[in-house]
Amino acid sequence: MASKLTLSNRAGWTFVLPGFALIFTFIVLPFFFAIGLSSTNQRLLSPNPTQFVGLENYRQLLGLAVVTLEPERDDAGKVVRNEAGEIQYPRLREITRSDDYPQYRGMREWFRWQSGENVMIVIASDVVFMKALVNTFLFVLVVAPVQGSLALMLALLINHKVRGINLFRTIYFMPVVVSIVVVSLLWRFIYDGQNGLLNSILQALTFGLFQPVDWLGNPSTALPAVMAMSIWQAVGFHMVIWLAGLQTISPTLYEAAAIEGASKWQTFRYVTWPGLRNTAVLVLVVITMQGFALFAQIDVMTNGGPLDSTQTLVFQAVERGYGKQDISGGSTISVILFAIVLAISLIQRWLTRER
């Protein structure tokens, strides 16, 4: 039965409504506005009138195809090879620029692999967006379990009433309260390829045998370097969440486990971990959301490079929307990101449901 609007309810709504109004004005309304912009060709500054393009922006971003290139053959039917003995293939542009294949027009090569004598090439309408999509998923898949596990280990270590434990809690949490821009600048100096602290330490440990690496200038190390910094920066925040969950577990359960002769691993498996179920769900969701929102580290440390190896969805949305003044493109990426995060959140909710 619905409760009546009492004086206390009226006072509560009076306090809540300003917050709801702000959320609706600055979050809900702009989101629906972004959905509308994603179906147009709107630019930030353009003399041309805005036109409705439907799902064309989504097709431009998500367009993918696989093209098979067969070896070139001579009149006798033999495979043509160059002077180095490599098999010769037709140029991809002969397909992507041909009127015979209008569905491939304007698409570019993303990656390829060999399948027997044939070459399989994945082409995309927007290769940079695809790289950003893969990098974002890779970042989340690596950072979420590693950061969550390290935070849990730290929480277990400091969940003891011993002298000086608050000092360690403060030290572990300190990077969280520092601005992410400041942390990113600090780690950019640490990763410097010439006089960076990391290279200096590794050279000292190997007595000069280690060759300096440009961690942020190498496509194979740039994204892992950003991952390592992100894990270090936010692990203290999730440690506090784990610690709050640990302190809700009744000490009598640990006493009962000790009386039964349970080992430390058995105690963790059958007492601690079941008691942290709801906390684990919260930590997983928070890390996932933070991972998909990756922007500041990329903007400060790599600016999406080198060779687009650290492009992410949020960075691409901001870069296109404001850097290239392509508001419709940035809005489209934002809507796609929202759909991805919503789908993952629903999957996480289903996987962690009560059974």
Side-chain angles (χ1 to χ4, degrees), residues 255-293:
E255 295 173 0
I259 293 174
E260 294 293 331
S263 63
K264 291 184 177 180
W265 167 248
Q266 291 174 326
T267 301
F268 174 80
R269 180 179 179 182
Y270 296 107
V271 178
T272 305
W273 184 247
L276 293 175
R277 175 185 175 82
N278 294 330
T279 306
V281 174
L282 175 61
V283 170
L284 180 61
V285 171
V286 171
I287 295 179
T288 302
M289 300 303 104
Q290 291 177 341
F292 277 103

Side-chain angles (χ1 to χ4, degrees), residues 41 305 350:
N41 62 350
W350 182 78

